[in-house]
Amino acid sequence: MSVASPGEAWRRVLTSLAVGTAGGVAFAALGLPLPWMMGAMGATTLASMAGLPQTIPAWSRPPTIAVLGVLLGSGFTREMVARMPDWLPSLAALPLYILVIGAIALFYLRRVGRLDPLSAFFCATPGGLGEMVILADRAGGDLRTVSLVHATRILLLVLTVPLAFRILGYLPAGAATAPPGGIAALDLAILTGCGVAGVLGAQLARLPAPGLLGPMLLSAAAHLAGLVEGSPPPWLVGAAQVVIGASIGCRFEGYPVARVLWTMLVGLGLTVLMLAVTLLFGGILQPLTGMPLPLLVLALVPGGLAEMSLIALALTDDPAFVATMHIVRIGLVVLIASALFRFYRRRVPPAT
């Protein structure tokens, strides 16, 4: 295989970014969930399978991953922490929920989906698309399978949950959509420092997924200490998602179309299973918390953090509770997934 010249390599990079951005614009115009990541991934996947030369350099991944970590950390505020005692029953159920839904999903993906052990584990883990792709990449899983299954799950959940809310007629009077706020230059500088220092500190401490977890922890600490307000600007988050989505799509060169369709069908079955488990947990928690079942389902269902939070803003009168539950869920998954994976890998043969 010949090595591409520097000029050809940069043409491939610019092509993938252009195709990815076009996909993001199209998904955003259609109002689809996670538009910049999923749009970039979808467009570059189709282009790769059509034979268009594309590439995303490896050095671009750490800074884009750090942006997502800072974004996750910015969701922790003093107001959220002050209200957490009222949410303790639901928060306490999260670890059990993660283990149960992950175990059932893993069994389904291995027996029905026929996925390999590594990919099945990270497809079953109820984290976010970006986080699971990052962890799967570090562990040697099939990124194409992991990304497709999670993308299908998030897409279906985000499309069906608001529809279910409307069918059930759940729309509290206090629900309203809050406009996104800006961010001051000093806050942006502090968040940038959280990203850089978080990556370096997490690498020195040998934390799992250091590019994600380190910035998330420092960003959360800075927000809780009152040192900074706001989150990374939308254009930066969107650019990071385009790079991550395009880096996934570029891996689909020569990937059979039939395999893509089968993986998406497996993701559909996984979504149905996860919704069933979520309804069961919501029904158990409802008498313990006094919260409406639709609100509990929205807080538990493993969709995208940003999308579930936006749905909560539009359809509920307690978006902070929903956002907190999803932030804690993703944080728990990032913290425990690597340890659980080591335990799992010692007990499962590497080949199917």
Side-chain angles (χ1 to χ4, degrees), residues 10 20 23 27 34 56 59 73 83 106 146 158 175 177 180 194 203 205 235 246 272 275 277 279 288 294 306 345:
W10 276 109
F27 269 50
L34 278 173
I56 292 291
W59 55 260
R83 296 181 60 194
L106 182 59
V146 174
V158 172
T177 302
C194 289
Q203 288 175 341
W235 64 265
V272 173
L275 277 172
V277 175
L279 283 169
L288 299 176
R345 196 170 193 175

Side-chain angles (χ1 to χ4, degrees), residues 41-65:
M41 185 181 73
T44 52
T45 294
L46 292 175
S48 293
M49 296 176 69
L52 183 65
Q54 300 174 102
T55 189
I56 292 291
W59 55 260
S60 67
R61 289 179 61 81
T64 56
I65 292 169

